[in-house]
Amino acid sequence: FLGAVACFEVVALCTSHGFYTTTYEVTTGDGCANFYFISTYIFFFALIGVVCGLFGALFNSINARVTVFRVQHINHSSFRRIVDIFILTVLSSTAVILLPQLTPDEPASSARVLEYSNGCISPDLQAQIVTGATIVWNDGTEIRPPIDHHAASVDTLYPVSNSTSSGSAAQLHYWPSPCLFGVMYSPALCGWLRDESTSPMKDRCINAVGKLSTNRDYCCGFDSKEAFTDGHFYTPGQNYRHGQPVSNVGCPLFLDTERWPATRSAEVPLDSQNLHNDTETFFNPMAALALIPSEDAVRNIFARGTPLIVPLWPMLVFFPVYF
């Protein structure tokens, strides 16, 4: 019961309006909005308290039995105590090191990392999957920076202000990066592809957009003419490097390697202006639990906007080893 109450207090606080809001909320979009408390949630909190209490009792029982065994068979001998510590150290260190090595790396791509996202995406990830946004005010006026391959795709309400509409709500029409959906609206680049490109991948790029293939302003995604000429482009459900399909789907994401280590290094492009060109990035879910400080492991499990970036099975394997 006390565990349920603790979970309830951490997750929700009552505001002066009678609504409930997350204690550690960082609002950046619709998916991060305040949630309203539902009375049935208390049963979920109670279930968490019961499950955690049972596992805590099991842990204490095992720990007590191990302590009794050590008192009876180990503690009376200095040599046995040294051997006991040595064996425990070797076993725990070996397990922590081997678990990530036995777990395959996964592509650090938008299709994998953001597969179950609710739209509450952290700014560092958002900057890698959008190229800008058009601001549409309530009165219909727009602020649209000059960029060719923009496309309105995600409408999110934000309390923004300018010199004429202070504090009013506006819609942000985000422009996805060419790699996000594998489809690009660009009269200039798609026109160049259709009229001037001699790449053998030309027809594949045009036909990849399905019904939009008859519209000359649409084509598959690519970062530049040079990138497409080198065979680097994106289609719905498949990325290509040097004209060959690769494991990454969507935008390759550059995650913080201190929090999201991998057993193999990311192939970082030489051209910092085109980060998606000729690049594959990876992360290891088990390493994100075992090879980093505990505080960072908890942050990874509850990472904002990326639910299940650490799948359930690595946690089920790691936690028994950890405890």
Side-chain angles (χ1 to χ4, degrees):
F1 173 77
L2 293 178
V5 173
C7 291
F8 174 77
E9 292 212 20
V10 169
V11 173
L13 289 176
C14 185
T15 68
S16 58
H17 301 288
F19 299 123
Y20 288 79
T21 177
T22 52
T23 305
Y24 304 107
E25 177 186 10
V26 181
T27 302
T28 61
D30 283 348
C32 305
N34 296 351
F35 83 94
Y36 300 98
F37 179 73
I38 301 176
S39 59
T40 53
Y41 285 177
I42 193 64
F43 297 105
F44 174 72
F45 300 143
L47 178 62
I48 293 178
V50 170
V51 172
C52 292
L54 291 175
F55 275 104
L58 176 62
F59 176 80
N60 290 335
S61 176
I62 295 175
N63 191 41
R65 292 174 183 271
V66 171
T67 300
V68 171
F69 176 83
R70 284 176 172 170
V71 170
Q72 294 176 347
H73 303 283
I74 296 176
N75 287 357
H76 64 275
S77 170
S78 298
F79 175 75
R80 290 185 179 183
R81 286 200 298 268
I82 295 175
V83 173
D84 176 53
I85 295 174
F86 176 78
I87 293 176
L88 291 177
T89 302
V90 171
L91 289 178
S92 59
S93 301
T94 302
V96 168
I97 296 300
L98 284 183
L99 282 178
Q101 300 299 325
L102 298 176
T103 305
D105 285 356
E106 297 191 16
S109 64
S110 58
R112 166 63 181 87
V113 174
L114 303 176
E115 181 178 4
Y116 301 100
S117 176
N118 60 359
C120 178
I121 301 174
S122 60
D124 60 324
L125 293 182
Q126 185 180 29
Q128 300 183 59
I129 62 174
V130 300
T131 58
T134 298
I135 302 177
V136 182
W137 296 93
N138 288 339
D139 59 5
T141 59
E142 296 183 358
I143 300 177
R144 178 177 299 179
I147 189 169
D148 179 59
H149 57 272
H150 71 272
S153 62
V154 181
D155 299 341
T156 309
L157 289 178
Y158 279 95
V160 295
S161 62
N162 66 3
S163 58
T164 59
S165 304
S166 178
S168 63
Q171 287 186 327
L172 293 183
H173 296 236
Y174 286 110
W175 309 340
S177 294
C179 55
L180 185 58
F181 301 116
V183 178
M184 179 172 68
Y185 169 79
S186 175
L189 290 179
C190 292
W192 166 84
L193 173 72
R194 294 170 183 269
D195 299 335
E196 302 179 32
S197 175
T198 58
S199 170
M201 298 290 103
K202 173 180 178 178
D203 291 338
R204 177 175 296 180
C205 180
I206 295 174
N207 295 330
V209 298
K211 295 180 179 179
L212 293 175
S213 60
T214 57
N215 189 325
R216 63 178 290 106
D217 293 337
Y218 288 89
C219 58
C220 72
F222 53 92
D223 295 306
S224 64
K225 298 177 182 178
E226 294 76 13
F228 184 80
T229 301
D230 291 338
H232 310 319
F233 60 98
Y234 322 97
T235 63
Q238 187 64 68
N239 289 5
Y240 291 85
R241 298 177 61 201
H242 303 291
Q244 300 299 319
V246 295
S247 57
N248 275 11
V249 177
C251 296
L253 299 179
F254 293 87
L255 305 177
D256 183 357
T257 54
E258 293 185 358
R259 283 183 52 191
W260 301 99
T263 57
R264 53 175 165 168
S265 300
E267 301 177 29
V268 181
L270 297 177
D271 184 0
S272 60
Q273 300 301 316
N274 292 297
L275 292 178
H276 297 140
N277 285 356
D278 202 16
T279 306
E280 285 190 275
T281 55
F282 303 90
F283 73 100
N284 190 296
M286 188 66 75
L289 298 175
L291 300 183
I292 63 175
S294 300
E295 295 83 358
D296 288 334
V298 173
R299 292 189 181 96
N300 289 345
I301 294 173
F302 296 102
R304 177 160 56 96
T306 55
L308 297 183
I309 184 174
V310 179
L312 182 60
W313 73 265
M315 290 188 281
L316 294 177
V317 173
F318 172 73
F319 286 146
V321 175
Y322 177 81
F323 287 107

